[in-house]
Amino acid sequence: MDEHDRSWTFDRQGDPHRDRFAEGVHHSVDGPSEVSFARSGTAATPVRLLTPELLNVWGSPASYSPILVQRIKEHWLLFTFEHELDPAQRTTLVIDEGDGIAHRFYDAGQVTVITELRVMDDDEPIPPRPRFSRLQ
């Protein structure tokens, strides 16, 4: 993700297609489509976690509200959200205060965890397709 250029590239392990967003256009397996930067990450939850303030759990229109914030260790914040129509429906988000990134997101039936993150230098070229070891 390049926040300054408002662009990103996403590789899903095992998928030969590379999603990317640049200059207001989301390039996906379905072809290019114009969309705002704020909505561009809906195609890939890990991309959305890099900008947690754009997640749809911060109130309308998603109908979630934060009900609890807990500090975990020294620099992690655990947010618990509750659905306004069904209090039993909860979502949690863990944000690192140091980098502002949500490293864990637990949603209805889906868990997303960022296990590795590296900040690139401004002049560094986009790396080739990454390889990650399979989670056990």
Side-chain angles (χ1 to χ4, degrees):
M1 175 174 282
D2 186 330
E3 289 184 275
H4 177 59
D5 287 343
R6 299 180 73 81
S7 64
W8 54 262
T9 302
F10 178 69
D11 286 303
R12 185 180 308 275
Q13 188 172 355
D15 187 346
H17 181 76
R18 175 182 266 185
D19 276 90
R20 57 190 178 83
F21 177 82
E23 300 177 353
V25 178
H26 177 218
H27 301 271
S28 72
V29 70
D30 297 327
S33 60
E34 288 187 31
V35 65
S36 70
F37 178 74
R39 294 191 40 90
S40 69
T42 59
T45 302
V47 171
R48 291 172 44 202
L49 296 184
L50 297 176
T51 52
E53 69 277 7
L54 300 178
L55 288 168
N56 63 357
V57 293
W58 299 103
S60 294
S63 302
Y64 281 89
S65 296
I67 60 165
L68 179 65
V69 179
Q70 293 174 270
R71 181 170 303 282
I72 302 173
K73 300 198 179 183
E74 295 175 10
H75 58 92
W76 297 95
L77 294 175
L78 169 64
F79 290 83
T80 302
F81 299 86
E82 182 179 278
H83 194 279
E84 67 180 28
L85 300 177
D86 182 2
Q89 188 174 339
R90 304 258 171 119
T91 295
T92 59
L93 184 67
V94 178
I95 297 178
D96 184 338
E97 284 185 295
D99 59 22
I101 293 173
H103 288 257
R104 291 175 183 79
F105 185 50
Y106 301 89
D107 199 10
Q110 180 179 350
V111 175
T112 304
V113 178
I114 293 180
T115 58
E116 186 176 335
L117 184 67
R118 184 177 67 82
V119 177
M120 296 172 56
D121 294 327
D122 289 339
D123 59 347
E124 190 175 348
I126 294 177
R129 293 185 67 87
R131 299 285 180 226
F132 299 99
S133 58
R134 185 173 279 294
L135 292 175
Q136 299 299 322

